[in-house]
Amino acid sequence: MRTSQSMWPDFLVGQDDKPVRVILIDDDQHMQRVVAQELMLDARTLLIGMASSVKEGRKLIKQHEFDVMLVDVNLNDGLGFSLIELMKFQRPSAEAIMFSVMESDDQVLRAFEVGAAGYLVKHSWFGSYPQAVLQVANGGAYITPHLARRLIKKFDANTPAAQRDSRASSGAVSELLSDREKEVLRQVANGYTSAEIATRLEISALTVNSHIKNIYRKLRVRTRAQAVQFASLRKLF
C-alpha cells in the first residue's frame, strides 16, 4: 500500500496526483530492490525506470522524462559521475542524488562539483531515499548529517583563521551578498533556470548570470548545487 505524509504541504512538489518522477541506477541488485521499495511505498515519489550500469543509465536518461536521478558512485562498467554530467546536458531541469557504501570526502565533493544536489551513504540510519528525493525536487540539497558535519569540519580546517572568523556567523556571510543576489540565489534554490529567474524578477538573463557569477565568487563555490548547499548550511535565507 502506497502512503504519503499527511502533513505534506500542498504547495510543495511531490503530491499524490503528481509525484516526483525518479530513475534509479545501481548495480547492487539487493540495494536496488531496497531503494525501489522505499520509493514505491511513498505516494509522493514515482519510480519510472531502473538500470544497473553506465551504459544502461545513459539509455535511461535519454529515453525517460524524470525529475530526480539516484545513481551509485561505482557501477560495474564505470563511475556514476559521468551520468550526472550527461543528465545535466540532456535533462538540465532534473536533479541528481549520488549514493555509495563509501564515506569518501573526495567522492562527496566531486559529486557536488559535477552537479549533484545530494549525497547519501547506503545503509545509513539517518534519512530516507524518498525524503532525499523530495528535498532536492523542491530546490534543496541533501546530505546525511554525519557527512555534513565532516565536510563542515574539513572546510573549516582548510580555511585560514582570518577567513574562519569572517564566516563565524551566518549574518557575516549573509552580508557578503546584496539583497538582489540573495533573491537570485533563492530562485536558484527553487530550481528556476536563468531565463525563468529573469522573467520572475523582470531583469535580463545576462544580469541574472552576472549575479550568479558574483554569488559564486563571494561564496567561493563553483556550481549552483554548491551555492545552494552552502546557503542552506549557513542559513543565508
Side-chain angles (χ1 to χ4, degrees), residues 180 184 194 198 203-214:
R180 178 61 89 181
V184 169
S194 293
I203 56 179
S204 71
L206 186 63
T207 301
V208 171
N209 288 332
S210 177
H211 285 313
I212 291 174
K213 286 180 182 178
N214 287 335

Side-chain angles (χ1 to χ4, degrees), residues 53-220:
S53 66
V54 171
K55 183 178 179 180
E56 292 175 2
R58 290 194 187 109
K59 292 180 181 178
L60 208 59
I61 291 169
K62 293 176 181 178
Q63 291 174 354
H64 294 277
E65 293 280 350
F66 60 91
D67 304 302
V68 177
M69 174 176 73
L70 278 164
V71 57
D72 192 4
V73 174
N74 296 297
L75 298 166
N76 54 32
D77 60 344
L79 297 175
F81 301 113
S82 64
L83 292 177
I84 296 178
E85 292 171 333
L86 174 63
M87 184 206 77
K88 285 297 178 182
F89 174 75
Q90 197 82 28
R91 309 284 182 192
S93 64
E95 299 289 353
I97 299 171
M98 183 154 267
F99 60 106
S100 174
V101 293
M102 302 288 291
E103 289 192 357
S104 164
D105 294 347
D106 291 338
Q107 283 188 347
V108 177
L109 292 173
R110 185 179 174 190
F112 283 108
E113 283 174 358
V114 298
Y119 193 101
L120 281 167
V121 179
K122 292 182 178 180
H123 312 299
S124 171
W125 287 101
F126 297 100
S128 69
Y129 293 96
Q131 180 183 353
V133 165
L134 292 164
Q135 180 83 6
V136 302
N138 281 281
Y142 192 91
I143 188 168
T144 48
H146 179 64
L147 279 176
R149 185 165 186 173
R150 279 173 49 195
L151 290 178
I152 290 172
K153 286 182 177 178
K154 185 174 182 178
F155 174 82
D156 287 341
N158 292 333
T159 303
Q163 292 182 24
R164 282 204 302 272
D165 292 341
S166 70
R167 295 180 181 185
S169 69
S170 60
V173 179
S174 181
E175 289 173 3
L176 292 173
L177 303 181
S178 68
D179 289 341
R180 178 61 89 181
E181 287 165 350
K182 291 176 189 174
E183 181 58 33
V184 169
L185 183 54
R186 196 174 291 113
Q187 298 294 326
V188 169
N190 287 330
Y192 293 109
T193 65
S194 293
E196 290 170 332
I197 294 172
T199 300
R200 293 174 67 86
L201 300 184
E202 298 182 344
I203 56 179
S204 71
L206 186 63
T207 301
V208 171
N209 288 332
S210 177
H211 285 313
I212 291 174
K213 286 180 182 178
N214 287 335
I215 291 168
Y216 286 0
R217 176 177 55 80
K218 290 180 178 181
L219 300 187
R220 302 190 179 189

Side-chain angles (χ1 to χ4, degrees), residues 16-36:
D16 291 7
D17 60 341
K18 194 176 181 182
V20 177
R21 300 164 298 176
V22 184
I23 62 171
L24 170 62
I25 305 167
D26 188 358
D27 61 359
D28 181 334
Q29 297 302 310
H30 170 69
M31 197 64 202
Q32 192 181 77
R33 287 193 298 272
V34 170
V35 178

